[in-house]
Amino acid sequence: VTSLLKERDGAGVERVRGAMVRDNESGEEWAVRARGVVNATGPFADAVLQMDEPGMAEIVAPSSGVHLVLPSYFSPKNMGMLDPATTDGRVVFFLPWEGGVVAGTTDTQCSVEADPKPSEKEIEWILAEIRRFLSPDVKIRRGDVLAAWSGIRPLVRDPRAANTKDLVRNHMIHVSDSGLLTIAGGKWTTYREMAKETVDRAVAEFGLRPLRDCQTEHVRLIGSHAWSDTMFIKLVQNFGVDLEVARHLAHNYGDRAWAVCALADRTAQLQALGRRIHPLYPFLDAEVRYAVQYEYALSAVDVIARRLRLAFLDAQAAREALPRVIDIMADELRWPA
């Protein structure tokens, strides 16, 4: 979004009626007009709010949360730990995840950026906290960290509250004088509630006439419709993939795993169906093709980090897998040699 489009309504009041947007791949820009605009941009909410009201005080208080991935032997397979009483009061957790152990997290004030990175200080803090829970004969070192990443929590202040310094711990909906509807804050675990409240508010603010009430309680997640906890067995029987790969596909794709496997079958690559992009992890060549054809992946980072998540599990393995990923994407997207 590069700017907001405004028009005056029948009463002469200026209202937000769309946005100018830019395609970052091609550089093309165009106008999108609408009856109303919802600003659901997470930590970037202030940038859009200030397109509407340039002098508006910032409402987002961004906080950095760093996570580490360690080898699986540091934690029991089916048991995790959370400690709310760390040395400085922050919460630390230690959980089995995707064949490894994920540990976190920090809660540090930060600036908003598109690609946040963890600092060595934050990584060392997490390692120091974890050491308190391990047996004395188990040494955890910086070199044991397979991957580290940082995310931004968009904690928010209510601009209409008496004390605008107080943070809203849950989500907040704000409608500006020109009708820009902003949803900010919240958590991954409450995304459906946030969406319902936002759409209900948009219906009221923009004079919309929905055909029925919110259906989110009855909408299943993509991949869940034909999934079962024994589905991985059918993948082994039908496609001959090994057990670890079958469990991975069923767990991460649900019933879309059939499409991943069928894609390799359809391109006469049944042998490649069992070929991993890295020998230590159950990610297949076919998943790269699926990411390009069905999940809009356009770059190697899209695939290795945002679709397969190998970069979040093991940075070195991701680097080693990159040449194969690039070769497959070049074939799919017709990249020049």
Side-chain angles (χ1 to χ4, degrees):
V1 176
T2 58
S3 64
L4 298 176
L5 303 175
K6 295 185 178 183
E7 297 176 356
R8 295 192 180 277
D9 61 15
V13 178
E14 201 171 45
R15 310 288 291 179
V16 175
R17 288 290 185 260
M20 289 295 300
V21 298
R22 181 176 60 242
D23 181 341
N24 286 333
E25 292 292 324
S26 66
E28 182 183 0
E29 295 191 14
W30 63 92
V32 177
R33 298 190 178 276
R35 185 178 298 185
V37 173
V38 176
N39 174 18
T41 53
F44 302 96
D46 281 326
V48 178
L49 280 166
Q50 289 168 2
M51 292 178 190
D52 179 37
E53 299 181 31
M56 182 174 179
E58 294 183 347
I59 68 168
V60 175
S63 172
S64 168
V66 171
H67 301 73
L68 314 180
V69 173
L70 300 160
S72 60
Y73 51 73
F74 281 109
S75 172
K77 184 177 180 180
N78 296 310
M79 183 182 298
M81 178 203 73
L82 184 147
D83 179 22
T86 59
T87 54
D88 64 0
R90 291 182 285 187
V91 173
V92 69
F93 57 79
F94 202 61
L95 303 169
W97 180 64
E98 294 295 322
V101 178
V102 62
T105 178
T106 59
D107 186 6
T108 309
Q109 186 176 358
C110 66
S111 58
V112 176
E113 54 183 307
D115 186 22
K117 295 178 177 61
S119 69
E120 283 298 320
K121 181 179 179 181
E122 291 170 314
I123 292 171
E124 287 297 339
W125 180 84
I126 294 173
L127 292 176
E129 292 297 323
I130 291 171
R131 289 187 184 104
R132 300 191 300 121
F133 300 101
L134 297 176
S135 301
D137 59 334
V138 176
K139 306 300 180 184
I140 188 167
R141 306 156 301 175
R142 176 64 176 85
D144 293 319
V145 177
L146 300 176
W149 73 90
S150 176
I152 299 176
R153 299 185 191 92
L155 304 177
V156 293
R157 308 177 184 90
D158 186 345
R160 301 192 189 282
N163 186 356
T164 57
K165 292 184 179 180
D166 291 341
L167 296 177
V168 177
R169 302 309 299 184
N170 297 311
H171 60 275
M172 177 201 72
I173 295 175
H174 168 72
V175 181
S176 72
D177 293 339
S178 58
L180 177 66
L181 194 160
T182 297
I183 170 72
K187 305 172 183 177
W188 286 117
T189 50
T190 59
Y191 76 95
R192 289 208 188 210
E193 179 186 359
M194 294 168 63
K196 179 183 184 301
E197 291 182 15
T198 303
V199 173
D200 287 347
R201 185 67 176 272
V203 167
E205 292 289 336
F206 305 147
L208 308 178
R209 291 195 291 271
L211 298 177
R212 56 186 179 179
D213 291 336
C214 179
Q215 300 295 300
T216 189
E217 292 182 11
H218 313 294
V219 176
R220 302 185 70 169
L221 294 175
I222 293 173
S224 67
H225 296 78
W227 178 87
S228 72
D229 57 4
T230 58
M231 180 183 150
F232 69 93
I233 298 173
K234 297 178 182 178
L235 294 175
V236 174
Q237 292 174 334
N238 283 272
F239 294 99
V241 296
D242 68 55
L243 186 58
E244 183 186 14
V245 170
R247 289 183 185 276
H248 155 71
L249 293 174
H251 176 72
N252 285 282
Y253 291 90
D255 62 26
R256 294 176 299 156
W258 296 104
V260 175
C261 293
L263 179 63
D265 185 24
R266 188 166 61 248
T267 54
Q269 295 195 22
L270 270 176
Q271 185 177 0
L273 185 63
R275 184 178 177 186
R276 307 181 185 206
I277 62 171
H278 192 280
L280 298 180
Y281 294 91
F283 301 105
L284 300 181
D285 283 18
E287 293 179 71
V288 180
R289 298 188 185 277
Y290 184 88
V292 173
Q293 293 188 23
Y294 294 96
E295 297 179 332
Y296 307 101
L298 293 174
S299 69
V301 173
D302 282 345
V303 170
I304 210 77
R306 304 184 184 104
R307 306 301 190 276
L308 304 190
R309 296 181 298 179
L310 178 57
F312 290 93
L313 293 172
D314 189 329
Q316 181 60 34
R319 282 191 287 269
E320 293 169 0
L322 268 178
R324 181 60 185 151
V325 170
I326 291 170
D327 285 346
I328 298 169
M329 294 189 72
D331 180 55
E332 288 289 328
L333 296 170
R334 305 292 186 266
W335 287 345

